[in-house]
Amino acid sequence: MGSPSTQSHPAPLERLPLHILDYICQYVPRRSLFSLSLVSSLCCHAATPGRFSHIRLEIHNKEKLRGDLHRWSTILGRGNRFRHVRRVVVVGRMDDPYQADDLHSIIGPVVMDNDNDSDSDSDSDSDSDSDMESVDFNPGGPTLSPEHKRAQHEAWLPFAQFLGRLPGLTDLVYSCIHQVPACVLSALHQHHPKSRLHVSTFSLRSLYQESDQLHQNDIDPDEFALATSPCLYSIRTKYEPYDVYARYSFNLEALAHIVMSGCAPRLRHLRLHETLPGNSISLVEANWAPREPWKGFLRASPNPPASNSPQQSRTAPERARLETLVLSGDGDGLYHVETWACRTDFGALKRFELYCGVSVQALQTLASIAANDNFHSLQELGLTVSPFDYLETTPASLDQPASLFLQALPPLQALTLHGRFGRHTVEAALHRHGQSLRKLHLCPDSDKGEHDDVDVDAERVRAIQQRCPRLEDVRLRVRRRQGGPEEVAVYRTLGRLPRLRLATLLLDCRAPFSDPSTGDAERVRKTLVNLAIDEKLARAIFREISMPANTPMQRLRLETDTDHRITEACPEFQSWARWIGRSWVCTRYGTSGEVTLREIGKNKAERKYLRDELEQFEYEGTDLWSEIWPRRAEDWRDDWHSFPLSSHGVEAGMPGEKLDDEPELLLRRST
Amino acid sequence: MAANQTLRLQNMLNPESRVFEVDRVAAEHSTVIRTILEHFDESYLAENAIPILIDVSDDALAKVCEWVTHWKDLPKAADVVADYSKQGGTHGTANKAEETEEEGTENDVIDSPWNVVFFSGVDAKMLYEILITANYLDIKPLCNLCCEFIATIIRDKPIEEVCNILCIDMEFTITPEQGAAIRDKIIRDYYR
């Protein structure tokens, strides 16, 4: 737009009133504010509120927490930056001498690789989603003893006091594996009663009860305070009806009560993952016995038990108005849909995700709800289209009802499909929602031997490109074809999505079984060629996608998928495949900035393990490996490399449409 | 007063400024003009142009008139000043980029093809003049668009490129190594 001026008078931006500059900074994503703040004092001043709006603390022990808080206090003390802090995120675990025998306390929280989380790419800089999704924890961990509580109180008190110094705090994201400390909750209630509390490790531990001691104790008072907190806004929880020791968990009943009774009046977002803890003898016995109903938080004044069945729930006087409902895990989709439709008004939902097995009836129920305009606020949908019971339902029978459900919904902004969805479902998605979609993730199951019709080829990508003009974020499974023109055409067509910023491609490296002319050895050879994805190839794929001028393309994630049945034909295949089938993230920093690549999915130790694993195969110089990659380096394991993409793509436009940028291809086709 | 009345605007700080004619319903996007209309009678406005007292070019004023004329049927903002006082300022400022993602609100700059055409070919100087004029006249949707547009063009840019876009000389001295370290940290923290 211009060039740096050597003017003596202020640049146009610096002539703007400061409140306008502030307003511009509100539109700039946080990651870009750091660049902006280094431009000039004025920009630095304007960017300051955004730069200090989020604080993230990783919790390990009380000494580290105190040190971190001291450092933050020093930083925020300059120019009274405390007032800018709006969101505080705490992740990790506090060392706890009283809980040393708890396995989860010993190994600490399992924090997933952030690359698994597409939300971490978002502009939002919103830590809530990424932190809410990324922590594994034990929902049935032991209830705190009084000594334990005192120790926790002492460790967390400085943090509670720190919260009191943040006048603008609006959100606290709690992602530590143990219960929210009482002093933190009190500080929130006292200093920030209108703030929003997001708990990604929500569980009421005291509602785990031995089957022979049911209803003998009230809920822990601190947990009661949490469950009824006026700040509680967002919950992620894992639910198990019984734990591995066959103890009852009344968490689902309690959650239903919290949602329906309004005792946590601001609760709007619920993510519930149902797990089955195993099949110990005691657990099997517990499952066979009739389940005792929950009698409420307090023995003295039992709540009317929030029902667990749709028949009972229909009598409930009022439904909650959740905005997010994510149901996942081992449960039956139909049961989930029917029960939660009675507990919360689906008309208020902006985001609904159902990631569990479904039946035809479940999809018909959803379609019926949608047809009655009961999903009228919905913007984001996630759905697994896989049978709950494979004996009763075939995947193909779900295709039509899933498409009817999608057709009945209002235009969506984000759609994620998992499982074994078929052609009709994808067609319905593009037809009904294509014009409005900003995010489309098609994640078909990869456990099938055959390529199916949800594999993305140039034609499917072309349909997406033509019917989803607003798409910014896409995830697709793309079949590799040894880098041939058809494969390149897929990448180039993706690049023609005018707003595409984020793309994740699951590269299907299998050689098709449907080709009878392909023998086992040839199939292994083709698969290895497909799997060989090094930095050079990853960069080339990124280049193909981001070829158009002014493309907003920012980040490409490449993952590989292959077929292990091929192992019968080549025992070494698995080890080779793990060694060369690498995943990458390509990031472009700014439109003219360089592209950085990072290998993901394997750390150094895993990489070393895979290298060592290959030692069992002695290099003979006659096997498929050496046929593909003749020995050049001292160590044959380093000989492999990718094969270049074809410099031509097959026609990516409409049949017969001339492509200005591919004259050579047209020449080839005409010959 | 007739709804289809034509109002005249003129930049009084520039003696050679053109007189711009705008439909009253379009001009009512401006809170300032709405206030003027409440306090001046029809006969006065028929004889006199509404004065614009801000140092901007006629081209910028023409662009603003073009925008309000095109979007004249858009609902008018009730109180821009009150809105800024709620959302702007340095205290407790919400990040709009964040809200856009979280709440799924429309990105007007991108979503309206007409707006994209409107801003295409507008250079930095003109863009700021449009913004200053929109701010002076209290035209909230146009202010928002300009702010969002500026934010869109500087997002994810390296420091040097931001300086180029904003026509600002870099005030701080940053070595290439420091720049690379900052870039790496941003990639690590925000693009993981």
Side-chain angles (χ1 to χ4, degrees):
Chain A
M1 288 179 63
S3 57
S5 57
T6 52
Q7 75 279 28
S8 54
H9 56 275
L13 181 89
E14 294 173 311
R15 287 165 52 208
L16 294 173
L18 192 57
H19 75 273
I20 289 286
L21 211 48
D22 285 335
Y23 207 55
I24 292 172
C25 287
Q26 290 171 35
Y27 280 106
V28 177
R30 280 187 66 237
R31 59 171 180 267
S32 298
L33 283 178
F34 296 95
S35 291
L36 185 63
S37 67
L38 291 167
V39 166
S40 71
S41 319
L42 189 68
C43 291
C44 182
H45 182 75
T48 295
R51 284 163 55 216
F52 294 102
S53 63
H54 290 41
I55 284 181
R56 181 184 168 95
L57 292 166
E58 291 195 12
I59 308 297
H60 295 295
N61 53 53
K62 64 180 181 182
E63 289 76 22
K64 180 179 181 301
L65 178 60
R66 284 181 189 203
D68 289 348
L69 291 174
H70 177 72
R71 190 170 61 90
W72 272 114
S73 297
T74 307
I75 293 169
L76 298 174
R78 295 181 203 130
N80 190 17
R81 293 166 177 165
F82 284 103
R83 65 199 162 125
H84 301 316
V85 179
R86 299 174 60 81
R87 179 189 293 268
V88 175
V89 180
V90 283
V91 298
R93 58 174 281 270
M94 185 69 81
D95 275 348
D96 181 4
Y98 295 95
Q99 223 176 342
D101 57 343
D102 177 12
L103 181 64
H104 281 263
S105 296
I106 294 167
I107 61 174
V110 180
V111 179
M112 304 300 180
D113 181 356
N114 267 351
D115 275 307
N116 290 330
D117 179 15
S118 61
D119 284 329
S120 64
D121 308 322
S122 74
D123 273 351
S124 70
D125 305 313
S126 161
D127 301 75
S128 65
D129 264 4
S130 52
D131 288 309
M132 290 291 282
E133 303 288 349
S134 59
V135 181
D136 195 8
F137 74 107
N138 176 15
T143 314
L144 305 187
S145 65
E147 296 80 19
H148 186 174
K149 282 189 178 181
R150 268 196 296 278
Q152 286 284 313
H153 176 81
E154 187 193 339
W156 282 95
L157 193 58
F159 177 71
Q161 291 165 344
F162 179 76
L163 291 180
R165 300 176 69 187
L166 308 174
L169 186 74
T170 58
D171 293 88
L172 173 63
V173 181
Y174 184 85
S175 295
C176 295
I177 61 167
H178 44 69
Q179 192 57 282
V180 181
C183 60
V184 173
L185 196 62
S186 300
L188 215 53
H189 291 167
Q190 182 186 347
H191 300 291
H192 309 288
K194 292 184 178 175
S195 64
R196 305 184 297 190
L197 173 62
H198 312 254
V199 185
S200 61
T201 52
F202 186 89
S203 177
L204 302 172
R205 276 81 167 171
S206 58
L207 295 186
Y208 276 81
Q209 297 173 2
E210 300 289 346
S211 56
D212 55 351
Q213 296 173 19
L214 292 178
H215 317 304
Q216 294 192 3
N217 295 308
D218 288 342
I219 185 175
D220 178 272
D222 293 341
E223 292 195 332
F224 185 68
L226 174 65
T228 57
S229 167
C231 298
L232 192 60
Y233 180 74
S234 174
I235 285 176
R236 174 183 175 268
T237 185
K238 287 199 292 189
Y239 163 69
E240 46 191 11
Y242 305 93
D243 72 2
V244 72
Y245 308 109
R247 289 190 306 160
Y248 269 70
S249 165
F250 288 118
N251 268 267
L252 184 62
E253 291 89 336
L255 263 178
H257 176 74
I258 292 168
V259 167
M260 294 176 68
S261 68
C263 63
R266 298 185 63 200
L267 184 63
R268 292 289 178 273
H269 305 275
L270 176 62
R271 295 167 175 83
L272 178 65
H273 182 79
E274 184 172 346
T275 61
L276 297 177
N279 58 355
S280 65
I281 294 173
S282 53
L283 195 61
V284 172
E285 286 173 353
N287 272 319
W288 277 103
R291 185 174 171 85
E292 286 283 325
W294 183 53
K295 293 188 176 174
F297 288 127
L298 308 170
R299 285 172 300 161
S301 56
N303 344 298
S307 65
N308 217 3
S309 75
Q311 288 73 25
Q312 289 172 316
S313 301
R314 285 201 179 97
T315 61
E318 203 170 330
R319 292 180 297 172
R321 293 184 62 79
L322 293 177
E323 293 175 10
T324 298
L325 180 61
V326 179
L327 305 167
S328 59
D330 302 321
D332 174 6
L334 176 62
Y335 182 77
H336 276 316
V337 170
E338 289 189 337
T339 49
W340 283 99
C342 301
R343 290 170 184 158
T344 188
D345 178 6
F346 279 12
L349 286 179
K350 293 179 179 170
R351 178 176 178 183
F352 176 63
E353 296 175 15
L354 184 66
Y355 296 133
C356 46
V358 292
S359 58
V360 171
Q361 194 186 348
L363 292 171
Q364 287 171 339
T365 305
L366 284 171
S368 163
I369 293 171
N372 292 326
D373 200 22
N374 286 329
F375 274 119
H376 56 81
S377 305
L378 199 67
Q379 295 169 352
E380 298 180 40
L381 173 73
L383 186 67
T384 295
V385 187
S386 286
F388 174 67
D389 184 345
Y390 276 80
L391 295 176
E392 288 184 359
T393 313
T394 61
S397 66
L398 298 176
D399 196 21
Q400 203 69 36
S403 69
L404 291 175
F405 171 46
L406 291 179
Q407 290 281 11
L409 289 170
L412 299 171
Q413 293 189 9
L415 175 64
T416 301
L417 292 175
H418 284 274
R420 309 188 67 163
F421 52 88
R423 187 179 296 272
H424 291 102
T425 309
V426 178
E427 174 57 28
L430 298 184
H431 177 259
R432 176 63 178 158
H433 307 287
Q435 287 294 322
S436 57
L437 280 180
R438 292 167 186 267
K439 172 181 164 183
L440 176 64
H441 286 192
L442 299 179
C443 318
D445 277 355
S446 58
D447 58 348
K448 289 167 283 180
E450 305 274 332
H451 291 292
D452 57 20
D453 62 0
V454 291
D455 239 353
V456 166
D457 54 15
E459 189 183 347
R460 174 64 54 76
V461 177
R462 188 161 58 240
I464 292 172
Q465 182 240 331
Q466 289 173 345
R467 296 161 79 177
C468 307
R470 298 182 180 190
L471 216 52
E472 296 173 8
D473 179 359
V474 74
R475 180 187 169 93
L476 301 169
R477 191 174 76 184
V478 174
R479 196 195 308 179
R480 287 219 64 207
R481 293 175 167 90
Q482 289 89 51
E486 284 184 325
E487 183 187 334
V488 175
V490 170
Y491 304 140
R492 289 187 183 172
T493 311
L494 271 178
R496 293 181 183 180
L497 282 163
R499 296 184 192 172
L500 188 67
R501 292 192 303 113
L502 312 168
T504 301
L505 301 183
L506 179 60
L507 298 174
D508 186 346
C509 299
R510 296 174 290 184
F513 272 84
S514 53
D515 182 359
S517 64
T518 308
D520 279 345
E522 181 61 8
R523 191 171 296 124
V524 172
R525 197 189 67 78
K526 283 185 174 176
T527 307
L528 284 174
V529 168
N530 283 340
L531 275 168
I533 300 175
D534 57 11
E535 183 174 335
K536 191 175 174 185
L537 179 62
R539 198 177 284 277
I541 294 174
F542 185 85
R543 199 181 307 122
E544 292 291 347
I545 296 177
S546 57
M547 192 181 285
N550 299 322
T551 175
M553 188 67 192
Q554 210 174 68
R555 184 180 184 277
L556 170 68
R557 182 187 166 100
L558 298 171
E559 300 168 5
T560 56
D561 182 29
T562 187
D563 184 359
H564 293 293
R565 292 190 311 169
I566 214 165
T567 309
E568 294 164 14
C570 178
E572 304 94 336
F573 175 77
Q574 275 201 16
S575 302
W576 289 346
R578 282 199 292 264
W579 177 241
I580 63 173
R582 303 192 177 187
S583 298
W584 297 90
V585 169
C586 316
T587 308
R588 183 162 60 176
Y589 183 70
T591 7
S592 60
E594 63 180 290
V595 176
T596 60
L597 273 86
R598 189 164 62 91
E599 189 186 339
I600 55 167
K602 301 275 189 306
N603 58 32
K604 279 184 182 172
E606 288 169 321
R607 185 60 62 204
K608 183 175 182 312
Y609 170 79
L610 292 176
R611 173 181 274 276
D612 293 345
E613 189 186 36
L614 288 172
E615 276 183 358
Q616 61 179 303
F617 307 115
E618 288 188 14
Y619 181 79
E620 297 170 358
T622 54
D623 57 11
L624 269 170
W625 178 281
S626 47
E627 186 186 313
I628 302 169
W629 296 291
R631 187 162 188 171
R632 290 206 180 104
E634 191 172 325
D635 189 337
W636 65 272
R637 291 170 293 192
D638 297 325
D639 274 336
W640 74 278
H641 55 79
S642 64
F643 291 87
L645 296 176
S646 165
S647 55
H648 308 292
V650 294
E651 184 178 337
M654 293 297 289
E657 180 186 340
K658 185 177 184 305
L659 299 175
D660 294 333
D661 56 343
E662 291 171 358
E664 293 178 38
L665 174 67
L666 290 174
L667 186 65
R668 256 171 53 140
R669 287 161 58 88
S670 63
T671 57
Chain B
M1 199 173 284
N4 58 358
Q5 181 191 2
T6 300
L7 301 176
R8 292 184 297 153
L9 310 177
Q10 187 173 17
N11 188 346
M12 297 302 181
L13 295 187
N14 178 3
E16 296 174 0
S17 172
R18 286 166 48 200
V19 175
F20 295 92
E21 293 195 341
V22 185
D23 286 352
R24 178 193 169 104
V25 66
E28 281 181 342
H29 269 299
S30 160
T31 313
V32 170
I33 292 180
R34 280 211 306 271
T35 309
I36 289 173
L37 294 175
E38 285 169 13
H39 291 88
F40 289 85
D41 61 36
E42 200 170 338
S43 57
Y44 178 84
L45 291 171
E47 293 172 8
N48 299 286
I50 295 175
I52 306 294
L53 301 171
I54 188 166
D55 183 16
V56 293
S57 66
D58 272 6
D59 290 344
L61 205 50
K63 289 290 277 185
V64 172
C65 292
E66 181 191 348
W67 192 90
V68 293
T69 302
H70 181 83
W71 294 107
K72 62 184 179 185
D73 296 328
L74 208 65
K76 308 294 186 294
D79 188 348
V80 179
V81 177
D83 187 78
Y84 278 129
S85 68
K86 271 192 293 185
Q87 301 189 19
T90 54
H91 174 81
T93 308
N95 190 290
K96 298 290 178 192
E98 186 174 314
E99 281 181 5
T100 302
E101 288 290 330
E102 288 189 342
E103 305 297 332
T105 55
E106 290 295 300
N107 183 334
D108 291 336
V109 172
I110 296 168
D111 281 355
S112 164
W114 190 89
N115 282 335
V116 174
V117 173
F118 177 81
F119 281 112
S120 64
V122 169
D123 62 10
K125 183 171 181 293
M126 174 68 79
L127 181 60
Y128 296 127
E129 287 197 350
I130 294 171
L131 178 53
I132 288 169
T133 310
N135 178 54
Y136 168 82
L137 290 172
D138 260 355
I139 306 173
K140 177 180 160 42
L142 184 55
C143 265
N144 289 351
L145 277 174
C146 292
C147 291
E148 205 169 340
F149 189 78
I150 293 171
T152 305
I153 57 179
I154 62 176
R155 67 189 273 176
D156 298 323
K157 302 288 194 298
I159 302 161
E160 302 78 16
E161 212 170 323
V162 173
C163 289
N164 272 335
I165 291 167
L166 302 180
C167 308
I168 296 177
D169 288 330
M170 266 184 77
E171 189 178 312
F172 307 121
T173 308
I174 298 170
T175 63
E177 293 75 24
Q178 286 172 323
I182 291 165
R183 184 205 60 196
D184 291 345
K185 181 169 177 9
I186 291 172
I187 287 176
R188 197 168 57 245
D189 291 351
Y190 292 96
Y191 289 92
R192 283 188 305 180

